[in-house]
Amino acid sequence: MPSMSHPESRNFNQNQKFNGNTTKNDVRDDYFVRKQRIAQQRSSLPIAPVEKRILEEVRKNDTLIIVGETGSGKTTQLPQFLFNGGFGRDGKVIGITQPRRVAAVTVAKRVAEECGVELGQKVGYSIRFEDVTSSSTRIKYMTDGLLLREALLDPSLSRYSVIIVDEAHERTVHTDVLLGLLKNVQNARSRCTNQQIGLEKDNNGVLLDKENNSQCLGLLKSCQGKKLPPLKLIIMSASLDARVFSEYFGGARAVHIQGRQYPVDMLFTHHAEPDYLDATLITIFQIHLEEGPGDILVFLTGQEEIESVERLVQERAQQIPEGSQKILTVPIFSSLPSEQQMQVFRPAPSGFRKVILATNIAETSVTIPGIKYVIDPGLVKARTYNPLTGMESLIIVPTSKAQALQRSGRAGREGPGKCFRLYPESEFGKLLDSTVPEIKRCNLSNVILQLKALGVDDITGFDFMEKPSRMAIVKSLEQLFLLGALTDDYKLSKPVGQQMARLPLDPIYSKSLILASEFNCLEEMLITVAMLSVESIFYAPREKLEEARAARKCFSSPEGDHLTLINVYRASVECLEKSKRANSKDRTTERSLSKWCKENFINNRSLRHARDIHSQIRRHIEQMGLLVASCGDDTLQFRRCLAASFFLNAALKQPDGTYRAFASSQVVQIHPSSVLFRTKSDCIIFNELVRTNHNYIRNITRIDPLWLLELAPQYYATQN
DNA sequence: GAGCACTGC
């Protein structure tokens, strides 16, 4: 949340007037005025007076925890303090990680402006598909996942003098893995500088693995011969509880920095609400009729809920007496096309109060100006993972205290606000302090594959901040073994495991690409994997459901969803090429693709994402020397390859018409979005298994059950 | 008959 830390940069409407008649002097004045304004804003941030103290602490301590509340300025200012303190000398880089791409980009832009430099020079950012850095970059903002990938190439992170892990309290998988890794790197680098490596060698001069830490050993080897200064670590968190981080880093010092946030009045209900949607509705109108001006932000759990509340508000709004202020509802959730997402930033027309109906996208990812009231029913739709069944579930659960606090904070960004919590105060005390870290509720195959590639052989022995369950680790090791990524003794296999680790994909997709080069259908599989790796490609607004369905039918393949996705991708490429031939301008091409998407009910953002992934992965597999060939019209070959790749996700039709998944022997249903929803093929493979109202499988293709025996005998020959 | 939120050399 970049904007949390520096309210100024959030101005979407920095109404800079560009006047055709500006003279050189105006421009220069403008420059000085802006420079002065920036200096003034910087010096008024709560972090400004403690610059010296923080620098001293960083010099004295290798690891520092900084707890900075909203609006403290830590994200933009600290890297500049460190740069001025000499941490960017000798070509060294100050790295700052963020959990989200937008954050990395917007903060980097702001800091470049503050420093008066061009973005990509002294200050830059690097996120997947976009590297805006150069050899002169000294302050580098990036996503935490990207730094993890960088570590595969440079295990001792030798370019960095300091790494700042921002928003650590969010505890994303990437943050958690990164913290463990950084701890090892820091350890190894300080041993490199403090002691001579000779101390660690046996009589034959071989490095000893005294601490049974294979990664550290590997790191020491990679430090050998290089003169690396110790790695400074700064963990920044917005949660008030610094203790967990401090303990994890051996009692590291913690510094608190005041935030800058307006007071928010907390209101609770007297009793528990039996129907929270009804309670939400009542509260919206209560605020609208009794409170002063200001927009309302409502936190709901999902699209369906948002759409139904939107209808109810609009119905009831007709009863508002003539002449009084009207209500404008605006929905926002991640799968909404971006043009519609943008509506939330538009100020309400005069005579209207804006009511924003949002999922938790509005908690951290999107900051909406003008909010004075927050309605929080105290619920969130959360993903959980059961390693035993390999099943993901999306269930509605109570928020944590930290989450409730984050939500209420959205009312106090521009002035004092009010937060209406739709549960009694006594219930608040019963909430979990913070959300369970993601690493404890996800499939670990990807994490384990990456750790193995980083030289961490003993996964259970790895120093996780919070260790995932043994079952989750064992299940993922087993899966990686079945995919051929690990050897009998659970070491990374060569070359398959190494190749899989290099690809920024779900391991099962990486494997499917390697197999596809043998089945001569890598071109098709590459498209499939890119399309499967993005959020939903199809978009069906409620009011145009029939049209959307008809549009989708044009792409449908009777074989299943995988070939359907390929059809969509190829049709979009054709549209692009046609437009390029007709008109060479990039912008027109982009516009005609966006028109094509609209006509065909395709989510433009998802499709662009798929194209980016496609080109990135294509570069990788070409470097690996895999053969990118097409199977042409021979879709049988492609489906055989799907069976060989996704054999772990096969399901058989039961006599009663339901399906049973092989691996977990659970009863599953075909998701209604699948092209195979109505047809009942005997045997299918699928890519996703999610429990919502039912156990749904998604992205499905029909196969011949005999292929499983033939193509995955290691799994099926022993199981009948 | 239905889709929380992020992210990747």
Side-chain angles (χ1 to χ4, degrees), chain A residues 399-406 421 428-435:
Chain A
T399 61
S400 63
K401 284 188 189 115
Q403 213 170 359
L405 214 65
Q406 175 71 30
R421 292 186 176 148
F428 182 80
K430 295 180 196 162
L431 300 178
L432 288 176
D433 283 345
S434 43
T435 313

Side-chain angles (χ1 to χ4, degrees), chain A residues 63-120:
Chain A
T63 309
L64 190 67
I65 319 288
I66 293 185
V67 176
E69 291 163 42
T70 300
S72 61
K74 60 185 182 349
T75 309
T76 52
Q77 303 309 301
L78 183 65
Q80 299 185 62
F81 296 169
L82 293 169
F83 179 81
N84 295 337
F87 285 93
R89 265 189 232 132
D90 307 325
K92 287 284 182 268
V93 177
I94 300 158
I96 310 97
T97 71
Q98 296 288 333
R100 275 175 293 281
R101 292 162 57 99
V102 259
V105 177
T106 52
V107 182
K109 280 183 183 158
R110 169 70 189 186
V111 174
E113 195 191 352
E114 287 187 7
C115 295
V117 296
E118 199 187 319
L119 191 64

